[in-house]
Amino acid sequence: MTADMLSSLFPVLCLVACSYAHLCMISPTQRGSMVGLNKKGSDDCILLDSPCGGRKPQTSPLKLAAGSTFTVTFQKNLDHWLEKTPGHFEVTLLQGTNKTALAQIKDMGEPSLTLYSKDVVLPKEPINSSLVLQTIYVTNNPDAPPIFYQCSDIELYT
């Protein structure tokens, strides 16, 4: 390949790399698999469609005590931080069309594959209903997709 060919391919390769940012949900376990979790750009960690990247609900939701504190752990699988427009991560609880914010964490430019953990207080109700714990990565980077999604299915009990 000539230098001209390489220089013309470089923007395309950068665009491809930037379009594959990833967010992986570790605890509770994300919908689908976690194959390649420890590799930057894992295919199982790129979900761009709200609310859960098109992944179907799990058949056995994780049962958590209502009103308890639970530690959510997720991974920035591929970094898209920009100093002038830093993004953030959000942890929310979804019940149908209702969305409850549980936590927000600033993206401070940590490298790809960084793990984040955040204690969240679960609501006291609804009991025995299907809920979705959602983590999103808002990139605020014009060269990357705006938001990445991961979900896990939970059920509260007393």
Side-chain angles (χ1 to χ4, degrees):
M1 251 184 212
T2 67
D4 286 339
M5 289 174 71
L6 285 175
S7 65
S8 65
L9 277 176
F10 184 74
V12 173
L13 293 174
C14 286
L15 182 61
V16 168
C18 287
S19 69
Y20 282 96
H22 299 74
L23 171 71
C24 309
M25 195 167 182
I26 297 167
S27 178
T29 306
Q30 67 190 27
R31 289 180 178 180
S33 78
M34 294 179 25
V35 173
L37 178 69
N38 292 319
K39 183 182 115 197
K40 293 178 190 177
S42 171
D43 289 339
D44 274 320
C45 300
I46 180 169
L47 302 178
L48 301 174
D49 298 324
S50 178
C52 298
R55 291 202 171 156
K56 295 181 181 178
Q58 298 156 315
T59 55
S60 300
L62 177 64
K63 296 187 185 304
L64 299 171
S68 68
T69 300
F70 180 79
T71 303
V72 176
T73 303
F74 56 94
Q75 177 195 63
K76 180 186 356 178
N77 188 257
L78 196 59
D79 180 33
H80 281 289
W81 182 78
L82 286 178
E83 185 174 12
K84 64 181 181 179
T85 57
H88 64 273
F89 304 91
E90 296 176 15
V91 179
T92 58
L93 190 66
L94 307 176
Q95 181 186 19
T97 58
N98 295 331
K99 183 176 184 177
T100 304
L102 299 178
Q104 184 169 330
I105 301 166
K106 291 181 182 180
D107 183 0
M108 304 292 286
E110 298 86 354
S112 298
L113 304 180
T114 295
L115 293 177
Y116 299 82
S117 290
K118 184 67 176 175
D119 289 338
V120 298
V121 177
L122 299 170
K124 295 182 180 179
E125 51 185 42
I127 303 301
N128 301 324
S129 294
S130 296
L131 303 170
V132 175
L133 196 61
Q134 177 195 59
T135 304
I136 65 172
Y137 178 14
V138 179
T139 65
N140 286 340
N141 182 334
D143 295 325
I147 302 175
F148 296 88
Y149 301 88
Q150 283 293 348
C151 291
S152 183
D153 298 285
I154 66 169
E155 187 176 295
L156 301 177
Y157 69 91
T158 56

